[in-house]
Amino acid sequence: MMSSRLSLSAVSLSLAFAFGGLMHVPVIASESSPTATAGAKLPAGVQLVRNVEGINEYVLSNGLKVLLVPDASKPSTTVNITYRVGSRYENYGETGMAHLLEHLMFKGSKQHPRLWEEMSQRGVQFNGTTSYDRTNYYETFAAKPETLKWALAMEADRMVNSRISGEDLKTEFSVVRNEMEKNENSSISMLMQRVTSSAYQWHNYGKDTIGARTDVENVNIPHLQAFWRKYYQPDNATLTVAGAFDANQVLQLVAQHFGKIPRPKRVLEPTYTLDPAQDGERDVTVRRVGESPAVVAMYHTMPAADPDYAATEALALILADSPNGRLYKALVEAKKSVDVFPYAANLDEPGFLLIGANLRSDQDTAEAKKIMVSTIEGFAQQPVTEEELTRAKAKLNSDLAQIFNDPEKFAVALSDNIASGDWRLFLLFRDRVNALTVADVQRVATTWLKTSNRTTGSFIPEAKPERVPAPAKVNVTEQIKTFKPGAAIAQAEVFDSSAANIDKRTQTGSLGNGLKYALLPKTTRGNTVVMAMNLYLGDAQSLKDQALNAELAAAMLNRGTEKLSHQAFTEELDKLKTKLQITGGAGNVNVTLETVRDNLPRVLELVRDALRSPAFNETEFTQLVNAQLAQLEESSKDPQALAIDAVRQANNSWPAGDPRRYQSIAEKIAGLKNAKLSDARAFWKNFYGINQANQAQVAVVGEFDANAVKGQLESAFGAWKAGHDFQRLNKVYTATQSKDQHIATPDKANAFFFANLSIPASAQNPDYPALVMANYLLGGNVNSRIFNRIRQKDGISYGGGSSYSASYLDEVSNFSAYAIYAPQNREKLETGMREEINKAVKDGFTAAELEDGKKSYLQERQLERSQDNLLAQNLASNLFLELNMQRATELEKKISALSASDLKTAMQKYLAYEKMVRVFAGDFK
């Protein structure tokens, strides 16, 4: 649950979500005064502070701040509460306390003693994250007044009545330690952690959020309780409610549940520790087991509220965006590294800019670091250009609408801005990005990106060291005075996500060549629209020995067209505020995109060009192969990747060359080393196209003109022919050969368990609903038996469970179980897995478990239908299977009718721990 504080993205407004972006809207209205927007009478103790771009801010008499972000276009609601406390507030000997407290907050409270179970019963998606400056907790659920009431009452209760006990600490400590060990498995994470700790001499930003192992192991429960009582109070929190809700109801509930909490008498003292200006370059070397080297360079910068922070975000992209950044060209294109990544830290106090690169084992780290440093510190010799800044602005703005247009992401993303002093910093950052000039960015680059301010290499004394200005705090109140709100974003329709309404609203049809389409136009927040396209290729005979060429051909489609280079193609997508991904393998290609209504026609042209006239550039192909090799070489030492690889090899029943045969990590590495661009291009030329019905499906959901899309699909793909006809690659059931396998992964602090069993049943099999529900109760949700055993009871795993998937057309499905754990807990983990699986098979589940599980499972399915990207993929899949959403209704009816004996009968027919192939990967001493 720890926030990924070193997320590998330039946009740092949120550390837990994909960084999307918000359109810059002309300022046509100033901040509304409370009296101008008050409207209905507010509950006692609730005061309207301001209305900004459609967002209402309130404050309670006890100091709690409340933000309401309405969006009725999706029938879901997100409740997020942000506490202005993170690892920065920890004292000596207390590192990791904020993160440990986050874990214990899920152990239950006075009115909600079984919190995991309550959330699961309501189909709630939830999490908590801890960062340097804040901790947040959020719940997303299908928009229902009773669930909203429960969520608000629960958050109010656990604010002051959580069960922070020594007994819970005993089990949760092992879970946190397991999470710590999971992070230690990542070489690049460890490198960045060491660099950060070396860069900061005094400030707590130099300490990892998860804490020192000794501090976590020796935490004092009275101290932890005191920490909780000090910071988990209404005057230190901001409650955000976003999505579909009744504002009056929310305010009444907030007043009822939070309003009764008294304002604390204690005073929170501000933090005051700041590092001096760094007085020379520093260097760190980390030696750990791993295959792929990496280099990192870090520079101290300013707080997120500083006017220059926007320039730092732009510099991150100018330097390390792929494929346009200076370092991408100097390192990746020059074959000195396989990738580069930036991170500009969005923090309350003086932060940092970090740039990194991953290398293959045969690439020189010293040479890569030398090139990286000279490029980063070379702006005096090679100043920022207008073209670079325009490109960076387009990328930031494209990224910025994805958060703002999605109230769920926006609600949680605001946590970092709240922690930095004011939630409006999100909007102020947007405006500062659009106001940036080349002179601004150049000044920031030459001020901060200096040798004396760098942490990468060894300390080298200098007679006359050049120093940067000492970092200083920012007066947020003064900065906010410069902010002028834009217009509120237009709201969308209240969409009914029932299966019947989706069928009623969806237009289906086909082109003359057989391409099928499903179009669901509806108004959306920010005029967003998503598309999913599936294309099926060849048959078992024609695809023989073509698996690698198929994967590489699909990957190359993202890297430019005959008209646009990789760089120009990416720039065009950013300008169009579009996320486009094309993936594929032997037998299929998948296209997903998200954009806005006005840009959809041009985006569809780009998709057409990517599919029908890709560039297949030799340099791009070499970069792609090197990147995949680096990833696979790293996987060859990773416990999780190796365990899954071993299980899939054990289930390999297809002969060599068959497109359905699983290629092991070693086989993929060997194949990539001999890969040829000509082979990938030949595969695309011979197999891509549409020759017959059911070979291609397209689903579009959101705000668009259906007739225009139909015409464009006809124009783009109506005459597209393939060199080989398509015949579906069927799946065949092969009985699992049970066994135990142990894989040694030296110097890896975390281990992984993975087990699998093939089952002769399709999604049309009468036993399918019972198997789905049995898996859900056994290990498919956070209130499942496996999860409760290995995490809640035994406290040996950060995460684990089970999964079940079935083919719709072939009588074959798979049941899997998995968990991460410390190597020394292998026997305890195995015992827990075996006992829980076999106990469920032998005794079944109780009627109460089943009824609670049904309710939770059905609510989760309803929530999935409200997510446009998932809905589009579902509609495209239904087109291939010649189904509609009635399929979902029928399955849900069957689920509702299940009895406990149905589940027991199905499990006893198919499942047993001893039948599975079981792999344990780790450093077992």
Side-chain angles (χ1 to χ4, degrees), residues 1-3 5 87 90 94-100 103 130-132 175-184 190 193 207-217 798:
M1 295 180 190
M2 183 182 64
S3 174
R5 45 165 259 196
S87 59
E90 295 163 347
E94 295 181 347
T95 62
M97 187 170 283
H99 175 244
L100 184 58
H103 276 247
T130 307
S131 189
Y132 292 115
V175 173
V176 173
R177 184 173 60 185
N178 189 218
E179 183 180 2
M180 184 183 296
E181 291 158 351
K182 175 176 70 72
N183 295 335
E184 289 175 359
M190 288 295 97
Q193 182 190 85
K207 296 181 174 63
D208 195 67
T209 307
I210 203 167
R213 181 182 291 267
T214 52
D215 285 1
V216 175
E217 289 176 346
Y798 177 67

Side-chain angles (χ1 to χ4, degrees), residues 168-227:
D168 286 335
L169 183 61
K170 289 179 183 178
T171 58
E172 200 63 15
F173 161 67
S174 296
V175 173
V176 173
R177 184 173 60 185
N178 189 218
E179 183 180 2
M180 184 183 296
E181 291 158 351
K182 175 176 70 72
N183 295 335
E184 289 175 359
N185 272 13
S186 170
S187 301
I188 189 65
S189 294
M190 288 295 97
L191 176 60
M192 291 190 291
Q193 182 190 85
R194 302 295 189 262
V195 167
T196 308
S197 63
S198 297
Y200 283 98
Q201 184 178 4
W202 304 110
H203 199 282
N204 270 2
Y205 286 168
K207 296 181 174 63
D208 195 67
T209 307
I210 203 167
R213 181 182 291 267
T214 52
D215 285 1
V216 175
E217 289 176 346
N218 296 283
V219 66
N220 181 291
I221 193 67
H223 289 182
L224 185 62
Q225 291 170 339
F227 189 89

Side-chain angles (χ1 to χ4, degrees), residues 243-256:
F245 58 84
D246 183 312
N248 291 329
Q249 180 205 19
V250 170
L251 294 176
Q252 291 291 341
L253 291 170
V254 169
Q256 176 187 346

Side-chain angles (χ1 to χ4, degrees), residues 468-482:
V468 302
K473 289 187 176 183
V474 171
N475 186 324
V476 176
T477 302
E478 292 300 317
Q479 297 302 321
I480 289 296
K481 290 179 181 178
T482 68

Side-chain angles (χ1 to χ4, degrees), residues 763-776:
Q764 299 183 69
N765 191 292
D767 293 326
Y768 176 72
L771 288 170
V772 168
M773 205 63 229
N775 169 73
Y776 189 77

Side-chain angles (χ1 to χ4, degrees), residues 18 36 286 408 428 923:
V286 177
E408 298 164 18
L428 181 57
D923 188 4

